[in-house]
Amino acid sequence: MIASTKTLTETHRRCCYLYNRELISYSLAWDWQKKLLQERIDNPSLHDALILLEHPPVYTLGQGASLDFVKFDIDKSGFEVYRVERGGEVTYHCPGQLVGYPIINLRYYRQDLHWYLRQLEEVLIKVLAVYGLKGDRLNRLTGVWVEGVKVGAIGIKVSRWVTMHGFALNVCPDLTGFEQIVPCGIADKAVGSMAQWIPGIKLEEVRTQLAVAFAEVFRVDFIENQEL
């Protein structure tokens, strides 16, 4: 008998709570993620979750990020800065950027971090395609680019195969905050937004398309959830 190589989600769709939020402080969202993650470590049968939101202006550094990529004095700048447990270098969040935090148990999908990163990229690529934009992957770099300009960043943390942190898609943000850092430690690649190609685009319409793309890529059925 030949053993099946299909993952559980290829034969059974998962249920996933969808939390649609507007502007939430980074610290609150971070604590929320950690709570959801720990609940799923303690009880693996819980449904997955996807949080979609925006943050006020904030800089975050991955656990091993270098301060060489920060162009200001963290202690004297007045900027809100967090060093968190995700991978990757420094990045910037602000209104107009759609941030997604999937809290999912990869034991029900595939226990492969490279696969998971590529799936997150695929979600963003599908969203861009809805608007006629071709999202590209670049060799050995995580994220999504349009015409050589980075519009989607990804940074994750996985504990006991449960994920946290996630992706950020620049829809229509003020990009000047990125001038204070070397985004993701990549000095020779510009950061851009969907609004450069689609003037007037609204984050709320992209939010809807992103949920659709996530459900398609990860084969989940959403349950709208209003609890925080």
Side-chain angles (χ1 to χ4, degrees), residues 16 20 60 62 100 137 163 172:
C16 182
N20 269 308
T60 72
R137 296 179 174 93
T163 69
C172 52

Side-chain angles (χ1 to χ4, degrees), residues 102-136:
I103 314 296
I104 67 175
N105 190 334
L106 291 179
R107 294 181 188 276
Y108 293 103
Y109 298 85
R110 186 175 300 177
Q111 295 177 55
D112 182 333
L113 300 189
H114 293 289
W115 174 86
Y116 179 57
L117 290 170
R118 302 295 82 77
Q119 296 299 95
L120 293 181
E121 290 171 346
E122 185 64 20
V123 170
L124 301 186
I125 288 170
K126 283 183 174 295
V127 172
L128 293 169
V130 171
Y131 297 92
L133 300 176
K134 183 180 181 297
D136 296 313

Side-chain angles (χ1 to χ4, degrees), residues 16 25 37 50 62 78 84 86 89 91 105 124 129 138 145 153-154 165 167 175 182 197-198 201 204 206:
C16 182
S25 71
L37 178 139
L50 173 64
V84 298
R86 66 165 172 79
E89 293 290 340
T91 195
N105 190 334
L124 301 186
L138 298 186
W145 283 257
I154 294 171
H165 297 292
F167 56 83
L175 296 172
V182 179
W197 292 271
I198 309 171
I201 191 169
E204 285 308 309
V206 178

Side-chain angles (χ1 to χ4, degrees), residues 124-125 128 133-138 141-153 168-171 173 175 178 183-184 186-198:
L124 301 186
I125 288 170
L128 293 169
L133 300 176
K134 183 180 181 297
D136 296 313
R137 296 179 174 93
L138 298 186
L141 294 176
T142 298
V144 175
W145 283 257
V146 175
E147 297 179 9
V149 175
K150 190 171 187 178
V151 298
L169 178 62
N170 293 336
V171 179
L175 296 172
F178 284 99
C184 302
I186 306 172
D188 61 345
K189 301 292 183 184
V191 171
S193 70
M194 295 176 68
Q196 293 176 227
W197 292 271
I198 309 171

Side-chain angles (χ1 to χ4, degrees), residues 8 14-15 36-49 103-109 159-162:
L8 290 175
R14 292 276 292 164
C15 288
L36 293 176
L37 178 139
Q38 189 59 52
E39 289 173 347
R40 281 148 183 80
I41 289 176
D42 294 340
N43 184 359
S45 66
L46 288 177
H47 294 328
D48 297 320
I103 314 296
I104 67 175
N105 190 334
L106 291 179
R107 294 181 188 276
Y108 293 103
Y109 298 85
S159 299
R160 299 186 187 177
W161 295 110
V162 180

Side-chain angles (χ1 to χ4, degrees), residues 19-121:
Y19 298 92
N20 269 308
R21 296 293 182 272
E22 295 182 358
L23 200 65
I24 292 183
S25 71
Y26 191 86
S27 60
L28 178 59
W30 188 19
D31 286 342
W32 187 16
Q33 288 185 73
K34 288 184 283 190
K35 176 178 179 291
L36 293 176
L37 178 139
Q38 189 59 52
E39 289 173 347
R40 281 148 183 80
I41 289 176
D42 294 340
N43 184 359
S45 66
L46 288 177
H47 294 328
D48 297 320
L50 173 64
I51 304 169
L52 295 178
L53 48 69
E54 298 172 81
H55 287 307
V58 60
Y59 294 93
T60 72
L61 296 94
Q63 58 185 351
S66 171
L67 292 178
D68 292 342
F69 298 126
V70 178
K71 299 179 181 180
F72 57 87
D73 187 328
I74 288 178
D75 297 323
K76 300 178 180 179
S77 68
F79 294 127
E80 192 171 6
V81 182
Y82 292 91
R83 185 179 288 275
V84 298
E85 63 274 77
R86 66 165 172 79
E89 293 290 340
V90 61
T91 195
Y92 176 65
H93 300 300
C94 64
Q97 180 191 74
L98 182 57
V99 178
Y101 297 130
I103 314 296
I104 67 175
N105 190 334
L106 291 179
R107 294 181 188 276
Y108 293 103
Y109 298 85
R110 186 175 300 177
Q111 295 177 55
D112 182 333
L113 300 189
H114 293 289
W115 174 86
Y116 179 57
L117 290 170
R118 302 295 82 77
Q119 296 299 95
L120 293 181
E121 290 171 346

